[in-house]
Amino acid sequence: MKYVSLPGIFADSPSNEGGRSLAFYLAMEEYLARNSSEPDLFFMWQVEPSVIFGRNQVAVNEVNLDYCREHSIKVYRRKSGGGCVYADEDNLMLSFVTSEQNVGFAFNRFVNMVLLVLRRLGIGATGTSHNDIMIGDRKVCGTACYHLAEKSIVHSTMLYDTNMDHMLNAITPAREKLQKKGIESVRQRITLLKDYTPKSLDEVRSVIRDTLCEGELTLTETDVRGIEALEQTYLKEEFINLIQQ
């Protein structure tokens, strides 16, 4: 599987110094699915504080929009299903684009890839029937997937660290979900990777890439311009379905 990187002045960095939005990386996944003949591609990314919700969700039901506006947290919709998540510079977003036609198989492959990485880090973890990855009884990684252009796209949020105040306040979890699981707060359902490894976030990035990838696919400037054009479709108000104030 090849690792996808951006060219020259567009090169990505662990701290997202290029200032790319979350929408850019969603568009990058879609662009690769539509335009690359490679069977399996993978890349990692980090973004400024952002909330991303699933294709079937209603923003006002999932996101504390007032809190996000007050704290300059961006809000985006993705094309995969699943729940609402918070992301920032202290956690890793993982993207897997594969020619696997069966979404269930694609999910399974990806979960096993992440479990392999965690084993390399000396961390015992398990996958669930909902394609979450757990350390003990707490989630460290959630996944979502969708099928497009004869490819499957699986993306994931790996919680290395995070701004917990933002995570707890930017997302409005369904009351029924918390009651059903007997949980008093989101914090009790998740855990952070940094608590299980002495490695820094950059070192974890290196372990992930070295474990999963052989070779590299460097996109062209033409590719980047194509991704930027596609990015605009993710930024349209009618797609996000909320009014920015």
Side-chain angles (χ1 to χ4, degrees), residues 46-214:
Q46 289 158 266
V47 290
E48 63 184 339
S50 304
V51 167
I52 177 173
F53 58 97
R55 66 173 177 244
N56 298 318
Q57 294 185 305
V58 178
V60 294
N61 294 342
E62 305 294 333
V63 185
N64 186 336
L65 298 175
D66 290 337
Y67 183 89
C68 289
R69 294 185 187 104
E70 181 181 351
H71 293 86
S72 300
I73 298 171
K74 306 297 185 183
V75 178
Y76 303 93
R77 182 188 295 277
R78 62 181 185 269
K79 294 184 178 179
S80 59
C84 184
V85 298
Y86 168 80
D88 59 28
E89 299 93 336
D90 292 321
N91 52 57
L92 277 176
M93 311 298 281
L94 313 177
S95 293
F96 176 48
V97 180
T98 175
S99 56
E100 173 58 65
Q101 298 291 301
N102 185 298
V103 170
F105 289 164
F107 256 134
N108 188 59
R109 280 190 61 195
F110 180 82
V111 168
N112 284 325
M113 285 161 47
V114 176
L115 291 176
L116 174 61
V117 168
L118 293 177
R119 285 197 294 272
R120 291 280 175 88
L121 291 169
I123 299 169
T126 56
T128 73
S129 59
H130 297 289
N131 301 300
D132 292 331
I133 295 170
M134 314 290 286
I135 298 177
D137 60 355
R138 296 188 178 190
K139 182 165 72 171
V140 72
C141 182
T143 63
C145 182
Y146 72 108
H147 188 70
L148 175 71
E150 299 185 353
K151 297 284 182 72
S152 293
I153 296 172
V154 187
H155 37 213
S156 173
T157 304
M158 174 71 77
L159 286 170
Y160 178 84
D161 195 5
T162 194
N163 183 318
M164 195 59 62
D165 286 340
H166 284 351
M167 174 172 283
L168 295 178
N169 289 289
I171 296 174
T172 307
R175 186 179 303 274
E176 311 81 61
K177 178 185 290 186
L178 297 182
Q179 290 176 342
K180 180 179 179 181
K181 296 186 177 181
I183 296 166
E184 295 179 357
S185 73
V186 175
R187 182 64 182 95
Q188 291 177 287
R189 296 189 292 125
I190 65 170
T191 193
L192 302 175
L193 193 60
K194 70 171 187 176
D195 294 334
Y196 300 89
T197 177
K199 293 186 180 296
S200 68
L201 181 55
D202 287 350
E203 289 172 329
V204 170
R205 284 175 61 103
S206 295
V207 171
I208 293 172
R209 181 168 176 173
D210 292 346
T211 300
L212 300 183
C213 299
E214 293 184 0

Side-chain angles (χ1 to χ4, degrees), residues 1-8 10-12 28-29 31-44 97 151 209 213-221 223-224 227:
M1 178 167 62
K2 290 185 178 179
Y3 188 85
V4 185
S5 62
L6 298 172
F10 301 103
D12 54 348
M28 185 168 163
E29 295 172 338
Y31 181 90
L32 291 169
R34 294 186 183 280
N35 294 280
S36 176
S37 60
E38 293 287 341
D40 295 311
L41 294 169
F42 177 82
F43 63 97
M44 293 174 281
V97 180
K151 297 284 182 72
R209 181 168 176 173
C213 299
E214 293 184 0
E216 183 174 6
L217 173 66
T218 302
L219 300 179
T220 66
E221 292 189 18
D223 291 327
V224 174
I227 295 167

